[in-house]
Amino acid sequence: LNISIIGVPLDLGQSRRGVDMGPSAIRYAGAVERIEAIGHQVIDEGDIRVDMSSRGQHGDSNLKNLDEVIQANTDLAKKVAEVVERGRFPLVLGGDHSIAIGTLAGLADKYKNLGVIWYDAHADLNTAETSPSGNIHGMPLAVSIGLGHESLVNLYRDGQKVKPENVVIIGARSVDPGERELIKEKGIKVFTMHEIDRDGMTTVIENVIAYLRSRDVDGVHLSLDLDGLDPIYAPGVGTPVPGGINYRESHLAMEMLEDCGMITSVEFVEVNPTLDVKNKTGDVAVRLMGSLFGEKLL
Ligand code: ARG
Ligand code: MN
Ligand code: MN
Ligand code: MN
């Protein structure tokens, strides 16, 4: 693959500082070297510029730092679209999960029937009306299917970027009441921790792949929130939830996704080195990249 790394040092989509250092932590853990060693060609495109000058000084308390989130995501969408246009594979490093708004908007230029795998403890399907926190990182999946504040929904290009029936959530274990209703209403496919425990990760990923094939998708974006993993393996995240996906299950999932050959873009988000233990979470992100990009033991 010809991979382009895009860093997004944005922490304004949530309320804890430090996730803006996620791209540095993942680079420091050796992302470029690890992927190049597999045989891929990598260009580090650097970071999207984020305006931090007015943090917390204005804006709606149900949509915290809206202006700054829009600015960074608009720039990110342009960059992702340009990278895809150049025939390259985007690997986006967050930053908080609000950056998925920009990534998916940029991907929508090329992919008209994109599949999305949302690997996360959360559904990120809130709107300003249903959000318990006002944090935009809890809203990107809702925005991308066309629901929420119009300035987010119409960011970079107008309207829905992804069809709700092309979305699969894996690892959910913290879902707010408004999100639960939306999942039912839109028929969004969710594999919660219950399905992972009951059926095993092998069956879950087989089902995910079969489902996305049945949707006849023209590409698949993997949006990997490190809090999808159990906090034992990924402690450096702002919204940890116990009872998560373990290290081996996560590697297996990445290996199976690599084998299916459907993944066309990836993002790793929510790595917060200030909450981490010796960059453990940045490290696990890079190890998972190894499996996802085809590292083989034998
Ligand atoms: N559901 C909660 C909220 O809306 C938590 C969201 C956490 N999202 C994340 N990307 N880590 O605030
Ligand atoms: Mn401003
Ligand atoms: Mn998330
Ligand atoms: Mn999450």
Side-chain angles (χ1 to χ4, degrees):
L1 294 173
N2 294 316
I3 297 170
S4 276
I5 294 183
I6 305 166
V8 193
L10 178 71
D11 73 350
L12 297 166
Q14 45 89 66
S15 305
R16 303 178 78 159
R17 306 299 307 271
V19 70
D20 55 315
M21 292 185 270
S24 308
I26 297 170
R27 286 190 182 97
Y28 183 79
V32 173
E33 299 76 3
R34 186 96 182 207
I35 300 168
E36 280 179 344
I38 303 166
H40 300 295
Q41 189 250 18
V42 182
I43 297 177
D44 190 340
E45 311 269 347
D47 287 347
I48 299 296
R49 209 188 58 81
V50 177
D51 175 14
M52 299 282 248
S53 55
S54 62
R55 143 186 294 280
Q57 286 175 12
H58 57 79
D60 190 330
S61 62
N62 288 322
L63 287 162
K64 292 177 185 159
N65 307 304
L66 179 61
D67 293 348
E68 292 79 3
V69 170
I70 290 171
Q71 173 257 318
N73 274 296
T74 304
D75 291 352
L76 172 59
K78 285 182 196 147
K79 187 70 191 179
V80 168
E82 177 228 286
V83 159
V84 170
E85 176 68 28
R86 279 157 57 205
R88 307 188 60 84
F89 180 110
L91 168 55
V92 179
L93 310 180
D96 71 66
H97 216 162
S98 71
I99 69 166
I101 296 170
T103 302
L104 290 170
L107 292 171
D109 270 4
K110 169 164 178 171
Y111 300 101
K112 303 302 172 191
N113 194 35
L114 185 69
V116 173
I117 298 175
W118 202 266
Y119 201 90
D120 201 326
H122 309 92
D124 295 343
L125 280 168
N126 276 305
T127 62
E129 289 69 39
T130 65
S131 173
S133 63
N135 293 329
I136 298 176
H137 80 153
M139 310 182 188
L141 197 47
V143 166
S144 300
I145 63 170
L147 301 170
H149 194 276
E150 57 169 4
S151 64
L152 293 171
V153 170
N154 297 322
L155 186 143
Y156 183 65
R157 50 188 299 146
D158 281 356
Q160 184 182 77
K161 310 301 190 297
V162 175
K163 298 171 188 166
E165 56 273 34
N166 286 3
V167 173
V168 182
I169 300 173
I170 303 174
R173 54 193 183 278
S174 172
V175 177
D176 298 320
E179 296 181 305
R180 189 173 305 122
E181 267 178 42
L182 206 56
I183 287 167
K184 286 187 187 148
E185 185 191 316
K186 301 287 174 188
I188 294 172
K189 193 98 177 150
V190 185
F191 295 92
T192 70
M193 290 313 300
H194 174 81
E195 283 73 35
I196 296 172
D197 286 343
R198 188 191 59 195
D199 305 333
M201 189 57 99
T202 304
T203 301
V204 166
I205 298 294
E206 282 171 355
N207 288 337
V208 167
I209 293 167
Y211 179 74
L212 291 174
R213 284 200 203 285
S214 79
R215 293 293 316 153
D216 205 22
V217 294
D218 55 1
V220 176
H221 175 67
L222 170 64
S223 193
L224 193 147
D225 184 332
L226 270 295
D227 72 31
L229 276 79
D230 192 276
I232 291 170
Y233 308 102
V237 298
T239 50
V241 187
I245 306 171
N246 76 27
Y247 182 84
R248 284 158 57 178
E249 289 166 332
S250 294
H251 274 285
L252 177 66
M254 297 303 114
E255 288 158 358
M256 291 179 74
L257 291 175
E258 143 74 13
D259 284 343
C260 86
M262 293 170 84
I263 303 294
T264 46
S265 54
V266 183
E267 70 202 332
F268 282 76
V269 302
E270 297 282 343
V271 174
N272 185 334
T274 70
L275 304 170
D276 210 355
V277 183
K278 290 188 175 173
N279 209 23
K280 191 172 183 180
T281 309
D283 275 338
V284 78
V286 170
R287 289 167 188 272
L288 293 177
M289 282 174 196
S291 291
L292 183 66
F293 289 117
E295 222 169 59
K296 292 280 182 317
L297 189 59
L298 298 170

